Amino acid sequence: MFKEQTKKKFLLFYVILIYVFAFLFWWNYLLYSKIEQHYSDLVKFESLKYEVYEGGTSMDFKSTEDFQVLNEKFKRQKVMILTEGIVFFIILTLGMVKIFQSFKQEIAIARQQKNFILSITHELKSPLASIKLMNETLRLRALDKEKQNQLIASSLSEVDRLENLVENILIAAKIENDQYGFTKEALNLSVLSNQIVTYYKERKEMDLSADIQDDIFIQGDKTCINSILNNLLDNAIKYAKNSAVTITLKQTKNKVELAIADTGPGIPKEEHSAIFNKFYRVGNEETRQAKGTGLGLYIVKQLVQFQDGKVDIEDNLPSGAIFKIIFNI
Ligand code: ADP
């Protein structure tokens, strides 16, 4: 249905495009031939006038000043029509290219939004279903203490997942509506990073190591930095499963560099720029294993920019991805 509608819209666009260009060429050609015709009629008329009143020949007329004036005027008109035609052609082409690009963009966004609805439904349904199942098991079965603790821990981790998801949707909506309020305060990024590392080590199953310089300060928003690190570390868990992850924080002269490196499969070069777009996910929604919404890296980029920073992806050799954030201080 969506594809059919898109095809129809594109077809209509091409038909209008061909019509407009054909129209432009036709009117330009018509105008050009009309002034040519007008010029030759005028030369004939003036030449006749010259023969009658001055007694000369049509050849003599061509050497008169009147003919030169006529000729110059014709040349100017020719140049004017051609230049206007070319300028109009360029403006029309640029306009059409822009319309075509935004048309394609709209279609991509519509497709991604459709995927987002599909993935978000799954993302909400599956943790809710497993929380329900675990709670029912706890209620109905007489389990030993260790089993109970295991179920409670799994349940809490699903709640974490839901919380992060809702948090990301909320942040994305706030960014979109320019409602994200930031506080700029002196933040000890070293302390904050260490706290997050401790939290992840305690709560998540991951091989996380840290190389964090002490007392590195930036002017920024604590919630933002938390959200940036949460999203990057969650992605490392999700996409670079069981791989070693390192978080590095260091300061050079006037820059602070925060990097999260994993040793997973990495991200293909051709995806590096698109990956930060809203709803963008690598690969195909039907075949993709890891679930998600395509909001994580969009939020990371926006929040880093709000802190006057910059985020980049590099390849981690021999394999993996490095997300490098630079804050100017
Ligand atoms: P989501 O995880 O919800 O799909 P993100 O915006 O966080 O959305 O990530 C966008 C895409 O980037 C993911 O679909 C994934 O393919 C890719 N990606 C992100 N982080 C990593 C990583 N550490 N390793 C490999 N691929 C990654």
Side-chain angles (χ1 to χ4, degrees), residues 128-186:
L128 282 176
S130 50
I131 291 168
K132 193 173 170 189
L133 187 72
M134 286 187 267
N135 277 311
E136 270 175 1
T137 316
L138 281 171
R139 189 167 65 96
L140 297 175
R141 297 248 199 107
L143 299 171
D144 59 45
K145 195 81 192 154
E146 192 189 341
K147 260 265 174 280
Q148 280 183 11
N149 283 341
Q150 262 177 14
L151 281 180
I152 291 171
S154 303
S155 209
L156 279 176
S157 133
E158 292 296 330
V159 173
D160 270 356
R161 234 178 94 187
L162 278 177
E163 210 172 51
N164 285 345
L165 177 68
V166 173
E167 181 72 6
N168 267 357
I169 296 171
L170 217 65
I171 296 176
K174 279 184 181 170
I175 292 172
E176 206 71 342
N177 297 318
D178 288 328
Q179 280 176 348
Y180 203 104
F182 298 102
T183 45
K184 275 223 158 172
E185 54 180 349

Side-chain angles (χ1 to χ4, degrees), residues 205-209 233 235-246 260-266 316 319-321:
E205 273 176 33
M206 72 187 297
D207 173 7
L208 179 62
S209 56
L233 287 171
N235 275 353
I237 297 176
K238 200 157 57 167
Y239 300 106
K241 265 198 184 89
N242 307 322
S243 85
V245 180
T246 315
I260 283 136
D262 64 59
T263 46
N316 197 8
S319 81

